[in-house]
């Protein structure tokens, strides 16, 4: 992947406030010293287009084959939509539910056996991707690959591999942190603290 494109993307993420330092709570309940708010890119069309192009680079480089695209609800829906417009691939989406398979959970047009590519904005443990994958597979779709904009490096990759998913990320948390140190936006000491935090708060499904 082109380094200049990645650096431009990281610059833009920082400028729009998608990288925050302080005390934040994730949806998992974990209090974290760093928060990557990738949902903000929906309000910045050029950054959204950048994200789509970087995902396309991953698809092309790894020769990923797919028939449909599904954005993990709801943070990645806009990203998946832009990707579908850029690639002219059909999109489907999963409705949020309490795993009640009696109701229609998958919207859009698809055939049994279609291969669906999952798109996510940020991965912590990978649970949202896994939940979406299970529903799609239950509805007869093949799900083999998932791409996220950011991997927080807290066990998500290994968890998805356990679910027979190939996992790709445009960026890792360490990529952004190291770049911000290089740009004098973050101290080396603070980066080391955050990297240590992410490492000790990783989670493996097999540990349940």
């Amino acid at each position: 992947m082109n380094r200049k494109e990645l650096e431009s993307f990281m610059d833009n993420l920082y400028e729009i406030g998608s990288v925050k330092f302080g005390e934040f709570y994730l949806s998992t309940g974990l209090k974290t010293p760093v928060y990557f708010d990738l949902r903000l890119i929906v309000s910045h069309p050029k950054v959204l287009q950048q994200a789509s192009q970087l995902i396309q680079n991953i698809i092309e480089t790894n020769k990923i084959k797919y028939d449909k695209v599904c954005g993990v609800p709801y943070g990645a829906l806009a990203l998946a939509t832009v990707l579908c417009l850029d690639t002219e691939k059909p999109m489907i989406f999963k409705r949020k539910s309490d795993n009640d398979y009696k109701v229609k959970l998958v919207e859009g047009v698809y055939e049994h056996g279609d291969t669906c590519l999952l798109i996510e904005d940020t991965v912590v443990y990978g649970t949202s991707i896994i939940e979406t994958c299970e529903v799609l597979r239950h509805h007869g779709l093949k799900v083999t690959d998932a791409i996220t904009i950011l991997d927080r490096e807290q066990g998500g990759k290994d968890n998805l591999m356990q679910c027979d998913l190939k996992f790709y990320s445009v960026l890792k948390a360490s990529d952004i942190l190291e770049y911000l140190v290089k740009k004098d936006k973050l101290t080396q000491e603070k980066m080391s603290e955050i990297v240590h935090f992410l490492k000790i708060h990783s989670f493996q499904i097999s540990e349940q």
Side-chain angles (χ1 to χ4, degrees):
M1 195 175 293
N2 187 294
R3 183 65 190 176
K4 287 186 178 180
E5 290 179 351
L6 280 179
E7 290 186 350
S8 172
F9 185 54
M10 287 188 285
D11 282 332
N12 288 335
L13 290 180
Y14 185 77
E15 287 174 9
I16 67 174
S18 286
V19 186
K20 308 174 190 291
F21 301 102
E23 290 188 354
F24 308 92
Y25 285 91
L26 302 178
S27 59
T28 59
L30 178 68
K31 185 167 76 171
T32 173
V34 62
Y35 184 56
F36 301 101
D37 190 357
L38 274 294
R39 297 189 181 196
L40 290 179
I41 67 175
V42 302
S43 297
H44 301 273
K46 290 184 179 180
V47 185
L48 195 56
Q49 289 176 328
Q50 267 189 311
S52 173
Q53 185 57 61
L54 291 167
I55 288 175
Q56 290 175 65
N57 291 347
I58 289 176
I59 292 171
E60 293 166 6
T61 299
N62 295 280
K63 299 180 179 179
I64 299 172
K65 303 296 182 183
Y66 61 104
D67 304 303
K68 313 289 182 185
V69 174
C70 179
V72 175
Y74 286 109
L77 290 183
L79 180 58
T81 301
V82 174
L83 177 65
C84 288
L85 290 172
D86 288 344
T87 60
E88 298 185 355
K89 285 283 190 177
M91 177 177 166
I92 60 176
F93 69 92
K94 182 186 90 64
R95 296 167 64 181
K96 283 212 171 183
S97 162
D98 295 327
N99 293 324
D100 180 1
Y101 296 120
K102 294 180 182 179
V103 301
K104 186 178 182 181
L105 292 182
V106 181
E107 297 287 356
V109 179
Y110 60 92
E111 300 290 337
H112 190 281
D114 280 349
T115 299
C116 185
L117 172 64
L118 292 181
I119 301 297
E120 179 63 295
D121 56 356
T122 307
V123 166
V124 183
Y125 306 134
T127 49
S128 294
I129 290 180
I130 292 170
E131 290 169 4
T132 301
C133 175
E134 288 175 347
V135 171
L136 296 181
R137 285 175 175 171
H138 181 83
H139 283 71
L141 288 145
K142 294 179 181 177
V143 187
T144 57
D145 300 271
I147 302 175
T148 188
I149 293 297
L150 178 79
D151 175 14
R152 281 182 59 104
E153 300 179 281
Q154 291 182 254
K157 181 176 182 178
D158 290 337
N159 291 334
L160 294 175
M161 288 176 62
Q162 289 186 47
C163 296
D164 295 321
L165 279 170
K166 294 177 183 177
F167 177 62
Y168 309 89
S169 61
V170 172
L171 292 167
K172 297 180 179 63
S174 57
D175 294 328
I176 295 183
L177 297 174
E178 288 171 4
Y179 183 66
L180 291 179
V181 169
K182 176 183 173 183
K183 299 286 285 187
D184 294 323
K185 304 292 185 181
L186 184 69
T187 66
Q188 182 71 47
E189 181 182 10
K190 187 63 176 177
M191 186 196 81
S192 298
E193 289 177 6
I194 294 172
V195 169
H196 177 68
F197 173 89
L198 296 176
K199 183 177 180 180
I200 64 174
H201 288 93
S202 62
F203 173 79
Q204 300 295 316
I205 290 177
S206 59
E207 295 175 358
Q208 294 187 72

